[in-house]
Amino acid sequence: MIELILKFSAFVSIGTTMGILYVLLSESIPFFREVSLIDFLTDTQWTPLFTNKHFGILPLITGTLTVTLIALLVAVPLGIIIAVFLSEYASPKFRRSIKPILEILAAIPTVVYGFFALMTVTPILQTIIPGLSGFNALSAGIVMGIMIIPMVSSLSEDAMYAVPKSLREASYAMGANKFQTAFKVVIPAAFSGIIVSIILAIARAIGETMIVAIAAGQQPRFTMDPTVPIQTLTAYIVQVSLGDIQHGSLEYKTIYAAGIMLFAITFLLNSISFYLRKKYQEKYI
Amino acid sequence: MKEKKEQRTIIQSESINVYYDDKHVLKNVNLDIKEKTVTALIGPSGCGKSTYLRLINRMNDYIPEFHFSGTIVVNGKNIYDDSVEVEELRKDIGMVFQKPNPFPKSIYDNVAYGLKIQGIKNKTVLDEAVESSLKQAALWDEVKDNLKAGGLSLSGGQQQRLCIARALAVQPTILLMDEPTSALDPISSAKIEELIFELKKQYTIIIVTHNMQQATRVSDNTAFFYIGDLIEYGKTDELFMNPIHEQTKKYITGRFG
Amino acid sequence: MKRSVRNKIYDKVFEIIGYTATFFGLIILLYFITDIVYEGWNRIDYDFLTSYTSRKAEKSGIFPAWVGSVWILALTLIISVPIGIASGIYFEEYAKKNKITYMLEVNIANLAGVPSIIYGLLGLEIFGRMFGFGSSILTGSLTLALLILPIIIVSTREALKAVPQSLRDASFALGASKWQTIWLQILPSSMGGVLTGTILALSRAVGETAPLIVIGALAYVPFIPSSPMDEFTVLPMQIFEWTSRPQHEFLINAAAAIIVLLCITFLMNGIAIYLRNKWQKKNQW
C-alpha cells in the first residue's frame, strides 16, 4: 500500500512531462495547420501581432542565440578558471566555504537580475559604447552570464575533483607544476564533465526569461547585433501573456509554437548532458 | 650474479625524522643507497617504507601535515635545501605507482608527457624518446602499431609498463617503485620483475614491496622497516638467510605483518 | 629564464587570476545590491508594506504582493513537499533497477532542465483552463510545485543515499519492517539534507516570475487574497511591473521591493546553508 503511494508520487513527474508535451502539441499542431513549417523555420520576420503577419521564428532564435552566446562568453571562462582554481590551488577550507557563497549568484531571483541589467549595467555600458540602445542583448547577456557562473564552476569543479589523485601524483612525479598538471592532465581527464556543465549552462541561458524580458527589449529582429533591442523566445511568450489576446486565436497559438521550439532545444541539450554524465560517471570506477 | 665491484653511493639519508602532525612515522633513519642497484624496502603496512620512498622525490610535500628533519643527499645535492627546484629534482627521479595510472591520453602522449612539460616540442626528439622508452619498458612490440590508442585501453600489466616507459622518457637516474605489481596478476608481475632486472643496468631502483619472494628475486639490498624504525639493512640474500634481528626474522618468515 | 622559476611565476599568476575570477561575480553582485539599497532603502516603511498599489508611485505599496508570495509559498510547500519526498523515497528505497526506473530518472533529470516559462504554459492550459482554476493562487502553486519537484526529489535522494547501510541493517535486524525502518530511522537521520533541499527549492519558487506571468497572475491587485481560488500577485510580479514603467518613482518602488525580496531569498538560503552545515557536523559516519 505504502509502496503504491510512493510509486504514484514518482509517476507525477511522468505526468508532468506528458502534460507538457500534450499542451505544447495540442496548441501548436493547429498552429502548424495554418502556418507552414517551412515558413515558420525560414521566414526572417516575426510579426504575429501586426496586421501584416509573418510567422518566421528565426528572429526569436537569433535573439536567443545572441544573448546565450554573450552569457557563455562571460560564464564559461570565469567558471572554468574558478573550477581549476578551487580544485587544484585553493585550500580545502577555502573551497568548502566559497562554494555555497558562489551558489548565491544562482539563487538571486531573475527579475532582480533583470532590474540590474536595465538600471545598472546598461547605463554603464552606454558610457563605453555610445550607440548602445536602452534595451539590448549585451547587458542582458552579461548579467545572465554572471548568474550562470556557479552552474559552470560547480559542475566542472566536481568533475575535476573526481579525477583520481594518482593521476595528479604521476604528473607531479614527472616534474610538472600545478599549472601544467591542471591544464594537461586534470582538465583533459574531466573534459566530459566540463562539457556537461557548459551544455547545462547553455540550456539554462536559452530558457532564461525575466532578464531578457526586462532588459533586452521586445523587438524581434533577424540580427546578432548585441547593441540593439531584440526579442528571445521566452520574452515573446511573456509579451503575449501580458497582453489581452483571445484564447484559441492564431496569435495565442504562437506562444505554444515558440514554446515547443524552446522545449525541443532545451530537451535536446539536457538529454545530451544526461547521456554524457552517465558515461563519464562510469569511467573512474 | 650480484655485482661485486664497489659502487658509488647515490642516495645518502642521514638522521631522517618525519612527522604527520604528532605522529612520528620515520624515526632517525640512516640509509645509503648505491648506484645501479635494486633496493627493496619491506615491512608491515604503516611502517614508513612508502613515506621514505616519497621523501626521495619530495612527493610528501603535498601532505599538509608533513614535517621533516634530517638530510637526504641525492647525486651530491641536499634535496631538502631551499635552493632545490622540486620540478628539476623530479626530472631526475622517475616514479611508478601502486596502481597503474596512465593519463587518459594516447600511449604516445603518455610517454611524451614528461618531455612536453619541459617544453620540448621537436617531433623527432619526441618520437625517438617514445620509441626508446617503450622499448626499454618492453612494451614497444605490443603497441608500436597503435601509439594513438588510449593508454587506458591497455591491460593492467601493459598499463604499468606504460607508466614505467613514461617515467623513463625523461631519462632519470633513479627509479622509485611503490609496490608496482600489487595490482597485477602473476604473469604481468613476472614481466615487470624481469624488466626491473634489465633496468638495473642503467638505473638505480628502489622498490617498496609486500612480497618477500619478489624482494629476494629482484633486489640486491633490502631494508626492513618496522613502525618507523629502520631495523635492518643489508645484502638481500644475507638478510633473508641470516637476519640479525628477531623482528626481521619474524616478519620474513610470515609470523606477523 | 629557468624553467622552474617560470613555473613558479605561472602558478603564482594563475592563483591571482583564480582569486579574481572567484570574487568577480560576487563583487559585481555586491555592487548591484549596494546600488539597490541606496536607491530603495528610504522607500521602505510601514506604509510601503501595508499599502495597495496605486497610480501614484509614492502611495503604492507591496501589501498584496507579499501576502500573495506568502500564500504561494505555503500552498506550493503543501503540494510539492509530500510528493517530492515520497518520490525520493521510492527511487532510493523501493525502485528496482530496471528500464522503467531508468526512464523515470532520465525524465526527472530532463524536467529539472525545462525552462520555467514552459511550466507556465503547462499550468495555464491544464490547471487554469482544463481544471478551471483560472489565474488563481491554486493554479500558481500547482505550477510552481511541479517546477520545483525535481529539485526536491534529487535532494531527498542525495540525503537518503548518505544514510549508511549499517543503520538499515540494524533496524531490520531488530525486526522492523521496511516502512518502519524508513519512517523511524532513515528519514529522521536524513532530515537535514531533505530540509536543505526543500528550502532551496521553495526559495526558487518565491523568486519565480515567468510562469506566473504566463498563467495570468495580475500585476494590479486591489485586494488581499483570502482563499486559494482568489487571483493574486507576488513580489517578483510587482517588481517586474514597476520596472517596466518609465517613471523613476516606480523604479524606486521596484528597488525597495527588491530589497524585501532579497531579504526573503537570503534568509531562506541562509537557513538552508546553516542546516546543511549543522547536519554535516552531526552525522559524521
Side-chain angles (χ1 to χ4, degrees):
Chain A
M1 182 57 202
I2 282 163
E3 188 173 345
L4 216 64
I5 296 173
L6 297 176
K7 198 167 185 172
F8 175 77
S9 304
F11 276 86
V12 167
S13 64
I14 284 283
T16 310
T17 305
M18 294 199 314
I20 289 172
L21 284 174
Y22 166 75
V23 166
L24 292 177
L25 289 173
S26 68
E27 294 289 333
S28 57
I29 286 171
F31 171 82
F32 287 115
R33 282 207 195 101
E34 291 178 57
V35 176
S36 88
L37 193 63
I38 299 191
D39 279 353
F40 181 70
L41 292 175
T42 57
D43 194 338
T44 56
Q45 284 189 66
W46 178 259
T47 55
L49 309 177
F50 295 176
T51 344
N52 177 18
K53 291 187 190 335
H54 281 275
F55 297 96
I57 196 80
L58 283 175
L60 297 185
I61 301 271
T62 55
T64 304
L65 282 183
T66 311
V67 177
T68 302
L69 204 67
I70 296 164
L72 290 178
L73 287 176
V74 174
V76 171
L78 281 172
I80 291 179
I81 290 171
I82 292 172
V84 171
F85 173 66
L86 291 184
S87 127
E88 307 300 312
Y89 285 79
S91 71
K93 204 177 151 210
F94 181 78
R95 178 178 173 267
R96 267 199 308 276
S97 40
I98 200 74
K99 275 189 97 172
I101 296 174
L102 275 173
E103 295 294 333
I104 290 176
L105 286 176
I108 303 281
T110 54
V111 68
V112 177
Y113 275 116
F115 185 90
F116 290 148
L118 183 68
M119 304 306 300
T120 312
V121 178
T122 298
I124 293 172
L125 290 176
Q126 276 171 329
T127 62
I128 307 166
I129 309 165
L132 191 69
S133 158
F135 296 103
N136 59 77
L138 186 60
S139 106
I142 292 173
V143 171
M144 198 188 285
I146 292 170
M147 180 182 79
I148 58 178
I149 287 173
M151 279 192 86
V152 179
S153 69
S154 174
L155 284 173
S156 297
E157 202 257 354
D158 288 346
M160 290 179 202
Y161 205 68
V163 172
K165 203 173 137 229
S166 65
L167 287 188
R168 293 187 181 87
E169 286 197 326
S171 174
Y172 289 138
M174 309 278 306
N177 62 355
K178 278 186 178 183
F179 188 79
Q180 290 165 327
T181 304
F183 283 87
K184 295 196 168 146
V185 174
V186 178
I187 288 185
F191 196 67
S192 49
I194 297 168
I195 293 294
V196 166
S197 79
I198 295 172
I199 294 174
L200 287 177
I202 296 173
R204 180 73 202 273
I206 288 174
E208 171 44 40
T209 309
M210 295 319 292
I211 299 176
V212 283
I214 292 171
Q218 300 284 2
Q219 297 177 27
R221 273 178 216 232
F222 185 57
T223 175
M224 296 277 278
D225 180 354
T227 63
V228 295
I230 48 105
Q231 190 166 49
T232 64
L233 288 163
T234 52
Y236 173 72
I237 298 174
V238 166
Q239 186 193 9
V240 174
S241 300
L242 287 170
D244 196 18
I245 283 172
Q246 210 179 350
H247 176 236
S249 65
L250 186 61
E251 290 85 346
Y252 178 82
K253 286 173 191 137
T254 56
I255 62 174
Y256 290 87
I260 206 161
M261 201 71 206
L262 186 61
F263 182 75
I265 299 170
T266 51
F267 183 83
L268 186 73
L269 292 170
N270 286 321
S271 301
I272 295 172
S273 75
F274 188 86
Y275 169 77
L276 281 177
R277 197 167 358 179
K278 276 271 167 195
K279 217 172 119 186
Y280 87 76
Q281 270 171 354
E282 284 151 16
K283 210 162 74 185
Y284 291 117
I285 295 169
Chain B
M1 199 176 78
K2 300 269 186 267
E3 306 273 339
K4 283 281 178 275
K5 68 173 196 313
E6 196 49 43
Q7 285 149 314
R8 193 169 72 91
T9 300
I10 190 165
I11 301 170
Q12 286 169 288
S13 326
E14 238 176 275
S15 40
I16 289 171
N17 282 286
V18 171
Y19 295 84
Y20 292 143
D21 279 343
D22 312 336
K23 228 178 116 206
H24 202 172
V25 288
L26 280 180
K27 300 167 189 164
N28 203 28
V29 169
N30 297 291
L31 183 60
D32 288 357
I33 288 169
K34 299 254 188 274
E35 196 177 20
K36 292 180 186 165
T37 58
V38 178
T39 305
L41 309 181
I42 62 169
S45 300
C47 65
K49 57 192 189 302
S50 281
T51 302
Y52 176 76
L53 189 78
R54 284 161 172 261
L55 283 176
I56 300 168
N57 64 346
R58 291 187 53 172
M59 284 298 278
N60 291 328
D61 290 14
Y62 297 107
I63 301 166
E65 302 82 20
F66 169 76
H67 301 287
F68 170 83
S69 71
T71 50
I72 299 186
V73 176
V74 177
N75 276 330
K77 227 192 204 165
N78 179 2
I79 60 166
Y80 280 85
D81 192 86
D82 286 342
S83 69
V84 166
E85 304 289 354
V86 181
E87 285 115 23
E88 294 299 318
L89 168 76
R90 290 186 185 144
K91 230 175 76 181
D92 207 35
I93 303 176
M95 186 164 192
V96 178
F97 296 80
Q98 205 166 354
K99 261 176 72 186
N101 54 357
F103 301 129
K105 299 167 179 278
S106 68
I107 294 170
Y108 183 97
D109 286 340
N110 261 287
V111 182
Y113 181 82
L115 296 170
K116 278 187 178 167
I117 58 172
Q118 288 175 37
I120 296 167
K121 293 192 185 89
N122 187 321
K123 186 89 171 69
T124 353
V125 176
L126 291 176
D127 285 351
E128 275 167 19
V130 168
E131 183 174 342
S132 73
S133 314
L134 284 170
K135 275 181 178 157
Q136 280 190 75
L139 188 61
W140 175 251
D141 291 332
E142 291 158 63
V143 300
K144 65 181 174 204
D145 302 320
N146 229 348
L147 292 175
K148 291 282 161 241
L152 288 163
S153 67
L154 298 173
S155 74
Q158 289 174 321
Q159 286 190 11
Q160 195 62 305
R161 277 178 282 147
L162 176 63
C163 293
I164 294 173
R166 181 176 67 189
L168 298 179
V170 289
Q171 297 178 313
T173 53
I174 300 168
L175 201 55
L176 308 176
M177 299 182 135
D178 192 356
E179 299 186 45
T181 63
S182 66
L184 303 180
D185 61 275
I187 295 171
S188 305
S189 300
K191 273 193 188 158
I192 304 267
E193 284 180 20
E194 213 174 293
L195 183 57
I196 292 171
F197 211 78
E198 277 303 308
L199 292 174
K200 185 175 96 168
K201 291 172 192 156
Q202 278 188 55
Y203 306 94
T204 307
I205 296 172
I206 306 172
I207 177 170
V208 167
T209 179
H210 268 126
N211 182 331
M212 296 307 118
Q213 278 76 33
Q214 186 170 67
T216 53
R217 280 194 299 264
V218 302
S219 70
D220 303 304
N221 299 306
T222 296
F224 172 63
F225 286 81
Y226 185 65
I227 333 181
D229 285 308
L230 174 59
I231 305 287
E232 195 165 341
Y233 175 45
K235 292 250 179 275
T236 299
D237 21 14
E238 283 163 25
L239 186 134
F240 277 90
M241 298 285 242
N242 299 307
I244 302 165
H245 292 267
E246 193 56 27
Q247 280 154 325
T248 318
K249 198 168 156 189
K250 274 186 187 165
Y251 181 72
I252 59 176
T253 52
R255 261 179 282 165
F256 71 87
Chain C
M1 207 189 308
K2 259 173 79 182
R3 190 171 65 90
S4 50
V5 176
R6 209 173 58 213
N7 281 347
K8 277 221 176 65
I9 294 172
Y10 268 39
D11 272 344
K12 205 73 221 159
V13 168
F14 187 79
E15 207 162 319
I16 293 164
I17 294 173
Y19 274 112
T20 316
T22 307
F23 288 108
F24 175 79
L26 293 172
I27 287 168
I28 288 185
L29 185 68
L30 202 68
Y31 171 74
F32 284 164
I33 292 174
T34 322
D35 204 31
I36 292 270
V37 172
Y38 178 76
E39 285 270 330
W41 183 252
N42 290 327
R43 187 66 189 83
I44 300 178
D45 51 21
Y46 182 75
D47 282 344
F48 185 68
L49 297 174
T50 56
S51 297
Y52 295 89
T53 39
S54 146
R55 255 176 248 288
K56 287 190 183 133
E58 61 281 6
K59 286 206 172 149
S60 288
I62 55 168
F63 193 28
W66 72 256
V67 174
S69 280
V70 172
W71 265 104
I72 284 280
L73 179 64
L75 218 53
T76 306
L77 183 147
I78 293 168
I79 300 163
S80 65
V81 171
I83 301 178
I85 295 180
S87 328
I89 294 174
Y90 174 76
F91 282 119
E92 217 45 54
E93 307 290 336
Y94 287 91
K96 295 170 191 69
K97 287 248 168 290
N98 58 23
K99 274 244 157 66
I100 297 175
T101 308
Y102 179 74
M103 203 187 71
L104 285 169
E105 285 178 342
V106 177
N107 181 52
I108 288 171
N110 255 313
L111 279 179
V114 170
S116 63
I117 198 160
I118 302 271
Y119 283 92
L121 294 172
L122 172 77
L124 171 66
E125 277 295 307
I126 303 283
F127 304 126
R129 287 187 211 288
M130 242 179 182
F131 292 3
F133 298 155
S135 305
S136 65
I137 293 176
L138 186 60
T139 302
S141 302
L142 284 166
T143 307
L144 293 180
L146 292 184
L147 171 69
I148 63 171
L149 210 49
I151 312 176
I152 299 181
I153 295 174
V154 170
S155 51
T156 302
R157 291 189 64 176
E158 293 296 320
L160 293 175
K161 230 179 252 170
V163 178
Q165 187 60 35
S166 60
L167 197 71
R168 292 179 176 83
D169 292 344
S171 176
F172 287 136
L174 291 170
S177 72
K178 185 157 192 175
W179 178 247
Q180 282 172 324
T181 303
I182 293 169
W183 187 248
L184 299 172
Q185 298 301 329
I186 300 176
L187 259 190
S189 46
S190 56
M191 218 50 223
V194 175
L195 272 178
T196 303
T198 306
I199 295 170
L200 288 177
L202 287 170
S203 135
R204 163 112 194 257
V206 171
E208 272 298 342
T209 324
L212 299 180
I213 294 176
V214 177
I215 65 150
L218 301 172
Y220 176 70
V221 177
F223 55 85
I224 294 299
S226 60
S227 101
M229 298 313 290
D230 284 345
E231 296 194 312
F232 70 105
T233 189
V234 289
L235 273 172
M237 281 292 299
Q238 191 63 65
I239 293 165
F240 174 58
E241 205 271 328
W242 278 334
T243 306
S244 39
R245 302 272 191 101
Q247 300 96 321
H248 187 68
E249 292 74 29
F250 282 108
L251 293 172
I252 292 174
N253 282 358
I258 285 175
I259 297 174
V260 176
L261 180 62
L262 282 181
C263 284
I264 298 172
T265 309
F266 285 145
L267 186 69
M268 292 180 82
N269 277 273
I271 293 172
I273 292 173
Y274 170 76
L275 280 175
R276 180 161 53 196
N277 288 343
K278 202 176 135 186
W279 177 62
Q280 272 171 353
K281 273 197 196 101
K282 205 175 73 187
N283 294 324
Q284 297 250 330
W285 281 302

